[in-house]
Amino acid sequence: MTEKVRVWDVPVRLFHWSLLGLFTFSWWSGENHEMEWHRQSGLLIVALLLFRVFWGLAGSRTARFAQFVKGPGEVLAYARKASDEHATDGHNPLGGWSVAALLLVLLTLVTAGLFSVDVDGLESGPLAGFLSFDGGRAAAEIHEIAFKAALTLIGLHVCAIGYYQFLVGRDLIGPMITGRRDLEAGETIESVRWSPLRALIGLVVILALVWAISKGFQFASAGDV
């Protein structure tokens, strides 16, 4: 039986599939003008993205940005012989930059959404009060542009997965579900390790921050009501 190695930790895999589900739901709720659901889903995406940034700095080996965001030279060298390369320890140099770009676009998308105002001024993000109406409308336009950019990057991401899955014969989907892939001959990679306590602390802090964002950083005491 082929020996397996763990290449993705639980938080990375939960982030990946939760983000896919929430992005799809946010798209649906926005298209169907279910704005309360859209806001709640957007706030959950904010929490996911902030956690991924935290985990990219404090997470397991393959989760860290330093592991998969490489310089131009390494990216070009990998791109020239991508189909001949063996499976990588986490994201490959080309995929690493695509992930970084997608995270940046999604962070722009949700940040703009927090400050957005609709044309009638009836629907707005929780932080829209910090901007003028014109500023809120500009944020809404950025939100729309970032959404289209995100769809483009997601489409490229899916195409890349399909290329490796069906043309190169390298399974990328299975490891993102199970966390493990087959070790190739001669490989000596160690399974990734992660700290549940560190993940929990980061998650608690981020959820507290997102709750404050949802309130527009306005905290009325009982005596003020």
Side-chain angles (χ1 to χ4, degrees):
M1 186 172 64
T2 305
E3 187 178 355
K4 292 185 178 291
V5 61
R6 185 185 303 109
V7 292
W8 298 118
D9 60 39
V10 173
V12 166
R13 287 181 281 140
L14 286 177
F15 164 82
H16 184 278
W17 298 113
S18 297
L19 182 61
L20 175 61
L22 285 170
F23 183 87
T24 303
F25 181 78
S26 290
W27 186 0
W28 173 86
S29 58
E31 289 294 318
N32 289 276
H33 307 290
E34 297 285 351
M35 298 313 296
E36 184 56 33
W37 286 111
H38 190 71
R39 276 190 292 270
Q40 296 303 319
S41 180
L43 287 168
L44 289 174
I45 292 177
V46 170
L48 280 177
L49 292 173
L50 290 178
F51 180 82
R52 186 63 184 91
V53 171
F54 163 74
W55 205 236
L57 300 173
S60 64
R61 181 180 72 247
T62 55
R64 297 193 181 210
F65 300 129
Q67 191 272 348
F68 63 81
V69 179
K70 304 296 185 181
E74 288 187 63
V75 174
L76 289 174
Y78 179 85
R80 292 192 189 101
K81 52 181 181 179
S83 62
D84 299 323
E85 287 285 322
H86 58 72
T88 54
D89 184 24
H91 293 298
N92 63 54
L94 196 58
W97 274 105
S98 71
V99 169
L102 182 56
L103 288 175
L104 181 60
V105 168
L106 289 174
L107 282 167
T108 302
L109 172 69
V110 295
T111 301
L114 295 174
F115 292 92
S116 295
V117 178
D118 71 356
V119 291
D120 300 316
L122 300 176
E123 299 287 354
S124 61
L127 302 183
F130 289 96
L131 298 180
S132 65
F133 177 77
D134 289 341
R137 289 302 304 144
E141 292 178 10
I142 294 172
H143 185 68
E144 181 66 23
I145 293 170
F147 172 70
K148 293 176 180 177
L151 285 181
T152 300
L153 290 175
I154 290 170
L156 291 173
H157 190 66
V158 171
C159 289
I161 291 173
Y163 168 76
Y164 282 104
Q165 198 81 22
F166 301 110
L167 298 181
V168 178
R170 190 178 304 156
D171 182 19
L172 300 182
I173 299 174
M176 191 55 73
I177 296 173
T178 66
R180 298 174 180 272
R181 69 165 173 83
D182 293 340
L183 269 175
E184 296 185 353
E187 275 193 300
T188 57
I189 296 173
E190 294 184 3
S191 290
V192 297
R193 300 175 183 274
W194 63 286
S195 168
L197 178 60
R198 187 181 303 164
L200 179 61
I201 292 172
L203 182 61
V204 169
V205 172
I206 287 165
L207 288 177
L209 174 60
V210 172
W211 175 82
I213 291 172
S214 73
K215 300 297 183 182
F217 295 105
Q218 303 296 318
F219 313 110
S221 64
D224 296 329
V225 179

